[in-house]
Amino acid sequence: MYFCPMYSKEIIKGTLKPIILKLLEQEGRMYGYEITSKVKVLTQGKIQITEGALYPLLHKLEAEGIVITEQENIGKRIRKYYLLTPEGKNLATAAIDEFLDFMVTIKSILDPTANISYGNAK
Amino acid sequence: MYFCPMYSKEIIKGTLKPIILKLLEQEGRMYGYEITSKVKVLTQGKIQITEGALYPLLHKLEAEGIVITEQENIGKRIRKYYLLTPEGKNLATAAIDEFLDFMVTIKSILDPTANISYGNAK
DNA sequence: TTAAATACATAATAAATTTATGTATTTTTG
DNA sequence: CAAAAATACATAAATTTATTATGTATTTAA
C-alpha cells in the first residue's frame, strides 16, 4: 500500500519527461524533431527543447521499455517514431497526474491568491 | 528592450529557489530549518527540502548579494536568519512571476482542458 | 548556390539535487 | 531519567539532468 510520502524527485526536477509522455499519449507517435518543434509552437518559442536533452532521454525511455520505436525512411533520411508501450501509457498517466498535482502545490505557495476561500469552507 | 526569447534554464529546473525567495519575501526573514519545516507543513509533507540542497543554495544566494544574514543565539545554539536585500526583492518578484508564467505554459501542454476558450475570445 | 530547416546522434561540461555523514543542543516520551 | 526525536547548522561524494558544443547528412527555401 502506497501512502503519499512525497513527490518523486524526478518530477520536481525536469519537466521534459512529462512533456514528452503527454505528447506521445496525445499524438500516438512522434519523432524527435517533431517533439521539439511541436513544443516550440505550443509554447510560442518559450520552451525550446535541446537535442542534447531530448535524444538521450528518448533512448533512456526506450531502454526502460516505456517507448518503442518505428523507423521510416523519408527520402534518404531516417525518421524514428516513438510510441508508448502499454506500460509506458500507465506511466505517462501517472507522471502527468503527479506533475499537475505538484503544480497545484507549488502554486499554493507561490501564488496564495489562487487558494483564497470564502466563508468557513476548507 | 526585452523580447521573450525563452525561459531561463534555472527556472525550468529547480523549484527550490523560487520557493525560498517567495517565503523570504512573505515572511521578512527566516532561518534554514524554518524554511524546511514551513514548506513541509504548507505542502502536507509532499515537498521536503533536504539540507544538502537548502544550505548550499542559501550560501550561494548570500554570496550573490540576494540575501543577507542575521545571527541569533538561541540558548547555546546559533540560528541564522536570512533576509532579502533590496536587489534580492527585485529578483524574487521577477523569479516568482517567471515561474508562475512557466506553469501556465506547462499546464497548457499537460492539461489542455485548462485552456478551453468559448467563442472567439483570446 | 548558399543558408536554413530537417533529422539524427554523442561527448564534455555545468548545474542542481540526493544521499550520506558530521556535530551539537534541546525537547519529548516511555 | 535515559533514549529518541526534533532542532539547527554544515559539507562532501555521487547522481541526475540539462546545456553547450560538435558531428553527419539530406532537403527545402531564399
Side-chain angles (χ1 to χ4, degrees):
Chain A
M1 180 206 167
Y2 183 81
F3 173 58
C4 129
M6 184 180 156
Y7 289 114
S8 66
K9 321 95 200 187
E10 313 103 320
I11 211 121
I12 293 176
K13 211 164 164 179
T15 48
L16 187 52
K17 198 173 165 184
I19 288 174
I20 289 174
L21 294 175
K22 176 66 190 183
L23 290 179
L24 289 180
E25 184 191 68
Q26 192 175 285
E27 304 294 322
R29 66 173 203 169
M30 293 185 92
Y31 53 98
Y33 188 83
E34 192 184 13
I35 294 174
T36 60
S37 40
K38 177 112 191 171
V39 169
K40 197 173 169 185
V41 170
L42 284 176
T43 65
Q44 290 121 108
K46 288 179 191 170
I47 298 177
Q48 285 175 43
I49 298 173
T50 59
E51 292 130 303
L54 179 70
Y55 292 113
L57 177 51
L58 287 173
H59 299 160
K60 197 185 155 217
L61 293 176
E62 191 180 9
E64 291 169 349
I66 293 162
V67 298
I68 49 167
T69 57
E70 285 174 1
Q71 293 202 27
E72 266 176 44
N73 290 71
I74 306 295
K76 283 177 187 169
R77 257 197 318 232
I78 291 170
R79 187 180 282 176
K80 212 164 151 187
Y81 282 95
Y82 289 85
L83 299 84
L84 290 173
T85 61
E87 189 201 333
K89 285 179 191 176
N90 293 334
L91 186 128
T93 305
I96 294 158
D97 286 351
E98 195 182 9
F99 197 88
L100 289 171
D101 185 312
F102 172 67
M103 284 201 292
V104 171
T105 300
I106 287 291
K107 196 160 191 201
S108 74
I109 295 177
L110 296 187
D111 182 15
T113 65
N115 276 43
I116 290 172
S117 72
Y118 299 93
N120 58 358
K122 193 171 176 228
Chain B
M1 180 204 166
Y2 183 81
F3 173 59
C4 122
M6 184 178 156
Y7 289 114
S8 67
K9 319 95 200 189
E10 313 103 318
I11 211 119
I12 292 176
K13 212 163 164 179
T15 49
L16 186 52
K17 197 172 166 183
I19 288 174
I20 289 174
L21 294 176
K22 176 67 191 182
L23 290 179
L24 290 180
E25 185 190 69
Q26 194 175 283
E27 304 293 321
R29 65 173 205 169
M30 294 184 92
Y31 54 98
Y33 189 83
E34 191 184 14
I35 294 174
T36 60
S37 40
K38 177 112 191 170
V39 169
K40 197 173 167 184
V41 170
L42 284 175
T43 66
Q44 292 121 110
K46 288 181 190 169
I47 298 177
Q48 286 175 41
I49 298 173
T50 59
E51 293 129 303
L54 179 70
Y55 291 113
L57 178 51
L58 286 174
H59 299 160
K60 198 186 155 216
L61 293 176
E62 191 180 9
E64 291 169 350
I66 292 162
V67 297
I68 48 166
T69 57
E70 285 173 2
Q71 293 202 27
E72 265 176 44
N73 289 72
I74 306 296
K76 282 177 185 167
R77 257 197 319 232
I78 291 170
R79 187 179 281 177
K80 212 164 150 187
Y81 282 95
Y82 290 84
L83 299 85
L84 290 173
T85 60
E87 190 200 333
K89 285 179 191 176
N90 293 334
L91 186 127
T93 304
I96 294 158
D97 286 351
E98 194 182 11
F99 197 86
L100 289 170
D101 186 311
F102 172 67
M103 284 202 290
V104 172
T105 300
I106 287 292
K107 195 158 192 202
S108 74
I109 295 178
L110 296 187
D111 181 16
T113 66
N115 274 43
I116 291 171
S117 71
Y118 300 93
N120 57 1
K122 186 201 155 223

